[in-house]
Amino acid sequence: MTISLQISRSVQFRAHLSQRIFVADGAMGTMLYSRGVFINRCFDELNLTAPAMIAEIHREYAAVGAEILGTNTFGANRTRLMGFGLADKTFDINRAGVRLAREAASEVAYVAGSMGPLGVHLEPLGAMTLGEARDVFCEQAQALCESGVDLLILETFTDLSELREAVLAARDVAGDDMVIVAQVAIGDSGELPGGASALDFVRQANDWPVDVLGFNCSVGPKTVLEALEEVAAHTSKPLSASPNAGLPVRVDGRHIYLSSPEYMAQYSRRLLQAGARIIGGCCGTTPEHTKLMVSETRSLQPRQARTIVHAERANQKNPAPEVKTFAVPLRDKSKLGAKLAEGRFVSFVEILPPRGTDASREIAGAALCARHGIDCINIPDGPRASARLSAQAACQLIQQHAGIEAVNHFCCRDRNILGIQSELLAAHALGVRNLICITGDPPRMGVNPEATAVFDVDSIGLVRIAHNLNRGLDIGGGAMGSATALVIGVGANPGAINLDEEMQRFERKVEAGAEYVVTQPVFDLRLLEEFLRRVEGFRIPVICGIWPLTSYRNAEFMVNELRVPVPERFMERMRQADGAEKASQAGVAIAREMVERVQPMVQGVQLSAPFGRYELALDVASAVRTNERNPA
């Protein structure tokens, strides 16, 4: 690999770091230990004596989606290698470590040169001076940079003075383009062994020539999360987090880490919400952990394709010819589109697609809704990461046999961008014109958590793709010669924990081309009022979600599992309902009250039919006043 190519990848990584989040790989030592390598062995030396084993581990992490592969060079500095009689092989071990990681990464993942502490005390506690330490770090950084790493990660440091020398050495060797990540390990008290706090680390490192600050190893994800939350407001630099899979427990003579992949994946979401731009795993983590962390991450911020611009194309002097685009008015796209354009109040009923091939019950339910004046049937797409008849097929069957339009939930979890375009074109061709664009639940929420998520784009990207198809443009921006006429809906949650983030995403959805929005179920009118107030500057027709509760347990599920706020007065009504029938009646009464209260504020309601009980949704629908409204 040439130096110029290596530098270009470093610059590319720096640019991407400002735009997105990355998942790094997990533990190398844990994987080697599981293969029978004794813990008193020099793991770094295996780059030379067991390269196939190291390469295989790198490939396993790359195969599950790790976007940063750390070299097996954590202890490959002269001071540590001297203890194994390998100081004279410092350069060879680091060069081999980069080569093995690069081969596994190909051009997909980035290679991070791993540098750890020297393993000795520095002055005044030890004999090694700060200057001598910097020289040792310079030597390893030189070996890694000359071998072609894309970034440097200085990890598991516990002495801030030593870490500062490592940072200065790395920057001196690597130059200004290289991204340098500096990470410390903290105890369960949130402090380094010398007593410095996580906040002390960040305040000092803010002045260092380092790009990313973070925490790794430690005692598990909880401690790392708490540290991130503490320091996030005190630095403008990106943050990173690579916690252990908890503390090891000795079982039958072996050290076992007990934090499951599912547990680490759940914490990944919280680490990202706390501000981490790079997440990974340290001791105890494996490719199984990384796989679920990747899935969780893609559901929050999908991958972004790397764009390669060929020089000969970039230097063309003649501008590209103007591309002809189309613009089908909303009223001409579908019956729903016409009603929304005219400002008429609309009502949806949500019907889940069947688990098998027989959709007769769902068709009968849709026909019943049509007879009661419902405007559309909303069909979820693999809700809660479940495998059912495709939403598009269910929409087609209902439109053909029930005499009512359907709304096709379309989620990004299961499709790459090629499949997205193909299926959207097919939906239009088959007459399924109404969409709700959603990102989708990650597979770990379903009964098959080992399934792999795609998440090439999120709901915002999906809206953009559908909007371009409506203009006659494919995913590459090229003219197709014809256009779709899809009514583009999106979702929003007035009860979101982070409403600021929800508003930002909703505004981006509108900018991307959304034409109406369906909310999560609303029980607290104040949340809806605040949502409507905040979207006033980018208002599109709002369809309010209404869910008739069926029991107190159902209400608890709504609050605790779906994170939908339910006021205590409604919880109490459901708690006091004696028996299933009275509980159902109480739930319908609450839902009818909500319909009556929200109708003057929105342009429609979406009614759920819990457990396939369509009559409950229709009981609620009878509260809708049959009046027409002005366009929003």
Side-chain angles (χ1 to χ4, degrees):
M1 173 173 291
T2 65
I3 294 296
S4 61
L5 179 56
Q6 180 256 315
I7 292 175
S8 69
R9 285 183 60 80
S10 299
V11 172
Q12 182 186 64
F13 181 82
R14 179 181 293 279
H16 285 163
L17 183 62
S18 66
Q19 302 168 0
R20 51 166 300 195
I21 51 183
F22 285 91
V23 178
D25 57 8
M28 174 62 74
T30 297
M31 297 298 289
L32 292 171
Y33 181 62
S34 70
R35 284 164 164 77
V37 179
F38 292 119
I39 58 176
N40 60 350
R41 179 85 179 268
C42 178
F43 286 178
D44 312 278
E45 181 258 349
L46 296 174
N47 294 339
L48 302 178
T49 59
M53 182 185 298
I54 303 300
E56 181 183 19
I57 294 171
H58 283 316
R59 286 194 296 269
E60 288 181 14
Y61 280 116
V64 297
E67 300 165 296
I68 300 174
L69 299 183
T71 57
N72 180 41
T73 56
F74 172 77
N77 59 69
R78 177 172 293 273
T79 301
R80 281 185 178 270
L81 291 176
M82 190 180 301
F84 296 96
L86 297 169
D88 61 334
K89 295 186 179 295
T90 298
F91 187 87
D92 293 338
I93 289 173
N94 282 279
R95 180 172 58 185
V98 176
R99 176 179 57 80
L100 294 171
R102 175 66 65 199
E103 290 172 355
S106 184
E107 295 302 313
V108 178
Y110 291 97
V111 173
S114 172
M115 297 174 60
L118 303 182
V120 297
H121 289 300
L122 307 187
E123 60 179 347
L125 299 178
M128 180 174 284
T129 68
L130 297 180
E132 290 169 341
R134 190 183 300 190
D135 289 341
V136 175
F137 286 125
C138 278
E139 181 183 31
Q140 185 182 11
Q142 186 78 35
L144 292 169
C145 290
E146 289 184 2
S147 300
V149 296
D150 303 319
L151 65 149
L152 292 171
I153 294 185
L154 317 180
E155 51 188 338
T156 326
F157 281 77
T158 57
D159 181 340
L160 295 184
S161 297
E162 182 181 17
L163 178 56
R164 181 176 181 274
E165 296 306 316
V167 167
L168 295 176
R171 181 59 70 201
D172 184 52
V173 169
D176 294 335
D177 291 328
M178 184 75 70
V179 169
I180 299 177
V181 181
Q183 298 182 147
V184 297
I186 55 177
D188 55 6
S189 65
E191 295 180 341
L192 280 70
S197 68
L199 197 53
D200 292 332
F201 158 57
V202 166
R203 284 171 172 164
Q204 291 189 39
N206 277 335
D207 297 326
W208 298 349
V210 65
D211 301 285
V212 182
L213 305 177
F215 305 91
N216 78 292
C217 204
S218 304
V219 295
K222 177 178 180 292
T223 299
V224 170
L225 173 63
E226 290 171 348
L228 277 187
E229 292 174 336
E230 179 185 7
V231 306
H234 298 275
T235 184
S236 60
K237 295 184 178 183
L239 298 172
S240 64
S242 293
N244 279 358
L247 286 173
V249 175
R250 192 167 180 83
V251 179
D252 293 333
R254 298 181 66 86
H255 288 93
I256 305 298
Y257 289 82
L258 299 181
S259 292
S260 68
E262 292 77 15
Y263 180 78
M264 292 289 286
Q266 291 173 16
Y267 261 92
S268 295
R269 176 178 289 264
R270 299 176 67 181
L271 290 168
L272 294 172
Q273 291 171 340
R277 306 291 297 179
I278 299 173
I279 61 168
C282 201
C283 304
T285 57
T286 68
E288 284 301 309
H289 293 79
T290 303
K291 177 182 177 180
L292 294 191
M293 294 168 73
V294 167
S295 178
E296 191 73 25
T297 303
R298 288 178 182 169
S299 72
L300 291 175
Q301 180 173 314
R303 296 172 295 185
Q304 296 181 2
R306 299 175 187 163
T307 302
I308 300 175
V309 180
H310 296 285
E312 62 270 23
R313 292 181 59 190
N315 293 329
Q316 288 179 345
K317 295 182 179 180
N318 297 325
E322 183 176 351
V323 176
K324 179 183 179 181
T325 59
F326 301 80
V328 178
L330 177 61
R331 64 178 179 274
D332 295 335
K333 293 180 179 179
S334 70
K335 293 178 181 178
L336 173 62
K339 292 173 183 177
L340 293 176
E342 295 167 5
R344 297 170 59 186
F345 194 88
V346 297
S347 56
F348 298 175
V349 169
E350 182 178 89
I351 293 181
L352 299 183
R355 295 187 181 276
T357 60
D358 183 4
S360 57
R361 185 174 184 274
E362 289 72 22
I363 292 171
L368 177 64
C369 291
R371 292 195 296 272
H372 282 75
I374 299 298
D375 296 289
C376 288
I377 301 299
N378 186 12
I379 308 294
D381 185 6
R384 305 291 287 176
S386 62
R388 293 173 176 265
L389 183 69
S390 80
Q392 181 172 307
C395 286
Q396 289 174 245
L397 291 170
I398 283 172
Q399 290 190 165
Q400 290 171 0
H401 302 292
I404 187 172
E405 271 195 346
V407 179
N408 180 16
H409 266 215
F410 198 101
C411 87
C412 307
R413 177 190 58 237
D414 312 313
R415 306 168 173 93
N416 63 22
I417 55 175
L418 300 176
I420 286 173
Q421 174 168 314
S422 296
E423 290 197 39
L424 290 177
L425 292 173
H428 169 88
L430 294 170
V432 179
R433 303 293 173 84
N434 305 313
L435 297 178
I436 294 181
C437 300
I438 58 173
T439 300
D441 297 319
R444 69 169 182 82
M445 297 182 66
V447 295
N448 300 110
E450 71 279 1
T452 302
V454 180
F455 292 125
D456 266 2
V457 294
D458 63 1
S459 56
I460 299 169
L462 175 57
V463 170
R464 192 171 291 114
I465 291 173
H467 178 63
N468 280 339
L469 293 178
N470 279 350
R471 299 168 61 214
L473 304 176
D474 63 19
I475 54 176
M480 299 188 300
S482 60
T484 56
L486 301 169
V487 180
I488 304 174
V490 293
N493 183 9
I497 296 175
N498 188 341
L499 189 59
D500 289 338
E501 179 183 6
E502 185 75 7
M503 291 299 95
Q504 292 170 4
R505 286 185 57 80
F506 179 58
E507 184 173 8
R508 290 175 61 195
K509 293 175 185 179
V510 175
E511 291 172 349
E515 296 172 299
Y516 72 100
V517 57
V518 177
T519 76
Q520 290 284 345
V522 173
F523 293 90
D524 190 336
L525 197 63
R526 293 172 301 176
L527 297 177
L528 179 63
E529 290 170 340
E530 175 64 10
F531 174 81
L532 295 176
R533 184 187 67 78
R534 296 187 61 168
V535 304
E536 199 56 48
F538 41 93
R539 180 76 176 263
I540 55 177
V542 176
I543 313 298
C544 181
I546 302 292
W547 184 303
L549 299 169
T550 58
S551 66
Y552 179 66
R553 181 176 294 181
N554 181 224
E556 287 185 313
F557 173 80
M558 190 70 61
V559 173
N560 299 316
E561 298 293 330
L562 300 185
R563 295 292 189 266
V564 175
V566 179
E568 180 56 32
R569 67 182 186 279
F570 290 159
M571 296 292 290
E572 184 61 25
R573 285 170 63 176
M574 297 306 300
R575 186 185 294 112
Q576 293 182 355
D578 184 17
E581 184 60 31
K582 289 186 178 180
S584 179
Q585 292 173 359
V588 168
I590 292 171
R592 287 174 59 88
E593 291 172 23
M594 290 303 302
V595 168
E596 292 170 354
R597 297 181 70 183
V598 306
Q599 187 163 355
M601 305 163 59
V602 297
Q603 200 173 332
V605 290
Q606 173 175 287
L607 310 173
S608 294
F611 311 112
R613 298 176 62 181
Y614 310 123
E615 71 280 1
L616 297 184
L618 295 176
D619 283 348
V620 176
S622 63
V624 175
R625 297 190 303 273
T626 56
N627 64 320
E628 295 187 357
R629 299 172 42 79
N630 295 322

